[in-house]
Amino acid sequence: MASAKKAVLGPLVGAVDQGTSSTRFLVFNSKTAELLSHHQVEIKQEFPREGWVEQDPKEILQSVYECIEKTCEKLGQLNIDISNIKAIGVSNQRETTVVWDKLTGEPLYNAVVWLDLRTQSTVESLSKRIPGNNNFVKSKTGLPLSTYFSAVKLRWLLDNVRKVQKAVEEDRALFGTIDSWLIWSLTGGASGGVHCTDVTNASRTMLFNIHSLEWDKELCEFFEIPMKILPNVRSSSEIYGLMCLGDQSAALVGQMCFQDGQCVFSEHGLLTTVAYKLGRDKPVYYALEGSVAIAGAVIRWLRDNLGIIKSSEEIEKLAKEVGTSYGCYFVPAFSGLYAPYWEPSARGIICGLTQFTNKCHIAFAALEAVCFQTREILDAMNRDCGIPLSHLQVDGGMTNNKILMQLQADILYIPVVKPSMPETTALGAAMAAGAAEGVGVWSLEPEDLSAVTMERFEPQINAEESEIRYSTWKKAVMKSMGWVTTQSSESGDPSIFCSLPLGFFIVSSVVMLIGARYLSGQFLFKLDNYMS
């Protein structure tokens, strides 16, 4: 019997979405933006010491291979010809740091994840060297000196891992964020792999000048980073094996945010970062970003550490049973507070407990915590930009939780708008890849972009109640600060393993980007997938 004829769908574009907790590969129809098939693999985190978060770069790479293979198998079962895949984009966790041997292709140490806290004393030491009246690091990078960014992680590796030191001395070492590691590996590795990154990932290293769009000699000298190990910086949409785009910037593209954005420096605790550069000769667009360490991960913490839910989806049912936190407030500052506070001494607290409080109230408070953190970011954005927010666009796995979406609208006291297709991070990476010069299968012209169906959540409480709940949350945040006065030494033998119950460091990020769209008062808010 003859085999079934393969379906002809026109040009297809794939997207590797490599996140902190999982890797996915998704394939889209470039003419309709329809998601045709995908596959997902969970990624392990390792916690050698308290506050340390690592991943195996080889496991990450293998997960990409597996996701691509399984997705192609599924396309075959749908009689879709995989030869129609014309380009692949990459969306990735950004600040996570990898150093590898360019001769053997072997990682020289585990990937140090963006959430890792081991570099706090490095940050404190470097801070003392920055003149109080001339913060040249922030003026060049748009970033505060923090454990969050790649330069301090790389500095720690150079100071503490002999294999890394030796490889640098012998000119064998290459540095990169996850996009660089994947692209180098997937384009040949030790046999001629392309060592590159894009402007969005480069802008999160603290070594990149966001004005000149180049690695900065003064910054590299300040962090004592040899420039020879850094990847070449390219635009976010051109052919160099694979297209790379940091995950939140990919979501910005996927939400069709293409109006003008300019470089604005925050005075209220936000980051100034590169949103995207969609072509070698195209202009760069900037964004204001608010990064929160723990949001969706608090749901996994309730599941894995407290055991009050068996699956991430159950939290909606628990919260619905009570419809209120009954005065309970949850600040999930498990690894300090990021924007707008940048306070590494904070730790998680649950307060306002009474004998009446039960697991349903705690579940509700956990969802409220995500919304309150968003409110803090938006308040900072409004103060920086002076433009009232008309509505909030959201995406990601958490947006399937209708209780959360309604809470978000109530706490912000503005409408929340959710697209019917929540995979905007992967879609954005696919769009950037498909639109690259030399590929040209995806048009980014507004008239050619597919219309997306939206679900809208309107505020259902009065403004006074919203403000009272928010002001109480702010009191709880203040109580979470100052718990850690000194960090443990970072100079010990990194091979020592200490098995601690640190499941709460499994992270999804909450990121707000204003860039291409902030001039029109429209904002993108991304709630990363919190489910396995």
Side-chain angles (χ1 to χ4, degrees):
M1 183 176 177
S3 60
K5 187 177 180 180
K6 296 289 186 182
V8 179
L9 296 174
L12 309 180
V13 181
V16 173
D17 183 2
Q18 204 300 296
T20 312
S21 58
S22 70
T23 298
R24 298 184 300 163
F25 183 67
L26 307 92
V27 174
F28 296 88
N29 184 326
S30 66
K31 300 303 181 185
T32 64
E34 178 189 2
L35 175 60
L36 300 175
S37 186
H38 73 283
H39 189 76
Q40 181 171 357
V41 173
E42 188 166 328
I43 301 294
K44 296 175 185 175
Q45 279 96 20
E46 299 178 19
F47 310 100
R49 298 186 188 179
E50 185 174 2
W52 292 27
V53 190
E54 299 178 0
Q55 291 178 319
D56 181 352
K58 294 176 74 173
E59 181 189 352
I60 292 174
L61 178 60
Q62 184 56 42
S63 72
V64 172
Y65 286 131
E66 181 179 344
C67 286
I68 292 174
E69 179 183 355
K70 296 294 186 183
T71 301
C72 289
E73 287 178 5
K74 292 176 182 178
L75 289 172
Q77 292 166 5
L78 295 171
N79 287 324
I80 297 172
D81 191 344
I82 62 173
S83 68
N84 283 328
I85 300 176
K86 304 302 181 184
I88 295 175
V90 175
S91 164
N92 60 283
Q93 48 173 316
R94 294 172 300 177
E95 298 80 6
T96 297
T97 299
V98 186
V99 181
W100 66 94
D101 189 319
K102 67 182 179 183
L103 301 182
T104 66
E106 290 294 312
L108 297 167
Y109 191 77
N110 271 347
V112 181
V113 176
W114 59 273
L115 188 68
D116 189 281
L117 290 175
R118 76 186 69 188
T119 56
Q120 184 55 42
S121 63
T122 301
V123 169
E124 292 167 0
S125 176
L126 290 168
S127 296
K128 294 173 183 175
R129 294 168 47 196
I130 298 177
N133 60 350
N134 178 26
N135 190 338
F136 68 96
V137 174
K138 188 169 185 178
S139 65
K140 290 187 175 194
T141 66
L143 311 173
L145 192 58
S146 166
T147 60
Y148 186 16
F149 306 108
S150 306
V152 291
K153 295 175 170 58
L154 182 52
R155 182 67 260 152
W156 185 92
L157 290 169
L158 290 166
D159 288 338
N160 293 280
V161 182
R162 180 55 190 153
K163 286 175 67 175
V164 173
Q165 297 165 353
K166 195 169 187 292
V168 170
E169 292 164 3
E170 296 175 358
D171 196 25
R172 293 183 287 108
L174 295 178
F175 153 79
T177 43
I178 294 298
D179 61 307
S180 297
W181 163 244
L182 293 179
I183 291 171
W184 184 85
S185 300
L186 294 169
T187 56
S191 301
V194 177
H195 187 215
C196 69
T197 189
D198 85 318
V199 290
T200 72
N201 283 287
S203 73
R204 312 300 293 210
T205 61
M206 273 196 134
L207 302 171
F208 186 72
N209 189 313
I210 63 172
H211 309 286
S212 67
L213 302 182
E214 296 176 335
W215 298 121
D216 191 282
K217 188 172 184 292
E218 184 182 14
L219 291 171
C220 289
E221 289 175 349
F222 175 71
F223 288 102
E224 299 180 85
I225 303 296
M227 297 184 75
K228 64 183 180 181
I229 72 173
L230 304 179
N232 295 318
V233 181
R234 312 281 280 273
S235 78
S236 308
S237 180
E238 62 179 271
I239 297 174
Y240 41 83
L242 296 176
M243 310 309 123
C244 59
L245 194 65
D247 59 350
Q248 280 70 40
S249 297
L252 193 66
V253 175
Q255 286 272 19
M256 319 301 178
C257 298
F258 296 123
Q259 297 178 25
D260 288 344
Q262 65 190 62
C263 188
V264 175
F265 281 89
S266 174
E267 296 180 357
H268 299 94
L270 303 178
L271 310 178
T272 302
T273 194
V274 174
Y276 47 74
K277 186 176 187 292
L278 296 176
R280 187 178 304 175
D281 301 318
K282 297 295 178 68
V284 65
Y285 292 88
Y286 296 90
L288 283 178
E289 176 179 319
S291 302
V292 178
I294 302 289
V298 74
I299 313 305
R300 293 186 66 166
W301 183 80
L302 293 177
R303 183 191 71 185
D304 298 340
N305 289 47
L306 292 193
I308 68 172
I309 54 176
K310 293 181 180 178
S311 68
S312 299
E313 294 84 355
E314 282 185 31
I315 193 167
E316 184 173 9
K317 180 181 177 182
L318 288 184
K320 190 174 183 179
E321 283 185 28
V322 288
T324 176
S325 68
Y326 201 75
C328 173
Y329 285 80
F330 192 162
V331 183
F334 297 143
S335 53
L337 292 168
Y338 283 10
Y341 301 102
W342 299 105
E343 180 50 70
S345 72
R347 287 296 179 269
I349 63 169
I350 302 175
C351 55
L353 301 176
T354 70
Q355 285 183 311
F356 183 72
T357 306
N358 61 34
K359 65 180 182 179
C360 296
H361 300 115
I362 293 175
F364 195 97
L367 295 181
E368 278 192 315
V370 175
C371 302
F372 286 130
Q373 290 179 99
T374 308
R375 169 72 185 270
E376 292 193 300
I377 298 301
L378 292 186
D379 281 359
M381 296 228 163
N382 284 334
R383 289 195 295 271
D384 276 328
C385 298
I387 301 173
L389 182 66
S390 61
H391 67 273
L392 183 72
Q393 292 178 219
V394 302
D395 72 78
M398 287 191 77
T399 62
N400 293 323
N401 188 321
K402 293 186 182 298
I403 295 286
L404 176 65
M405 294 296 93
Q406 187 58 56
L407 275 173
Q408 190 69 84
D410 290 344
I411 289 169
L412 296 179
Y413 209 66
I414 57 171
V416 169
V417 180
K418 170 196 169 185
S420 57
M421 204 287 287
E423 302 291 355
T424 53
T425 296
L427 176 61
M431 289 166 65
E437 184 178 351
V439 180
V441 300
W442 205 312
S443 171
L444 298 184
E445 295 301 320
E447 63 271 17
D448 296 327
L449 295 172
S450 302
V452 178
T453 305
M454 298 286 187
E455 184 177 3
R456 191 177 178 94
F457 296 84
E458 299 284 348
Q460 293 183 356
I461 63 174
N462 62 51
E464 182 181 5
E465 182 182 349
S466 179
E467 289 303 315
I468 290 172
R469 287 160 68 176
Y470 181 50
S471 63
T472 309
W473 157 263
K474 299 282 276 188
K475 284 173 58 179
V477 170
M478 293 300 108
K479 293 181 184 298
S480 77
M481 294 185 185
W483 286 90
V484 179
T485 53
T486 58
Q487 295 290 327
S488 57
S489 172
E490 63 178 60
S491 59
D493 179 1
S495 67
I496 295 174
F497 183 84
C498 180
S499 179
L500 294 171
L502 295 176
F504 52 77
F505 282 107
I506 298 174
V507 171
S508 296
S509 62
V510 171
V511 174
M512 160 61 62
L513 286 172
I514 300 181
R517 269 194 157 167
Y518 84 83
L519 293 177
S520 63
Q522 298 177 13
F523 298 73
L524 164 66
F525 177 53
K526 176 166 172 42
L527 287 163
D528 274 351
N529 198 330
Y530 64 99
M531 294 177 288
S532 299

